[in-house]
Amino acid sequence: RSVKDVVNFAKMNNLLGVIIPTELLLLGDSLIDEIKASGLLVIAGRSSKSETNESSLWNHPKINGIKNNRFLRFKDQNNEFLT
């Protein structure tokens, strides 16, 4: 499946957002901008096996949350992760 299909599915089924693999989000802000323009939250999906540099996503102002194998964390209105 493509990201476009996932975004369309989320919009058609009134979902709040989509979980996108971290590797794709690290390719550039244009993907994040397109998803956000659709009115969806952007969640960075992490894997415990992933060795990519994800620290930039933790502080990225356009990312609404982070998901790994154990938890899903969202940011508050101050762009800080809720504990």
Side-chain angles (χ1 to χ4, degrees):
R1 290 197 164 167
S2 69
V3 173
K4 181 179 178 180
D5 290 338
V6 171
V7 169
N8 287 336
F9 177 84
K11 286 177 20 182
M12 297 299 284
N13 289 284
N14 294 322
L15 301 179
L16 292 176
V18 292
I19 300 172
I20 303 295
T22 301
E23 293 79 13
L24 291 178
L25 295 176
L26 289 172
L27 293 177
D29 282 351
S30 61
L31 176 61
I32 298 170
D33 292 337
E34 288 294 322
I35 296 169
K36 300 280 274 187
S38 297
L40 298 170
L41 298 176
V42 178
I43 310 301
R46 299 190 324 166
S47 168
S48 61
K49 298 174 186 173
S50 177
E51 296 296 327
T52 59
N53 180 11
E54 298 164 345
S55 61
S56 61
L57 287 179
W58 283 92
N59 298 319
H60 197 294
K62 296 179 184 179
I63 298 294
N64 300 108
I66 300 280
K67 181 195 177 300
N68 70 8
N69 293 336
R70 294 182 33 194
F71 59 84
L72 175 62
R73 294 179 67 188
F74 288 96
K75 291 182 180 178
D76 63 13
Q77 61 189 1
N78 296 323
N79 213 24
E80 296 177 7
F81 280 96
L82 302 171
T83 55

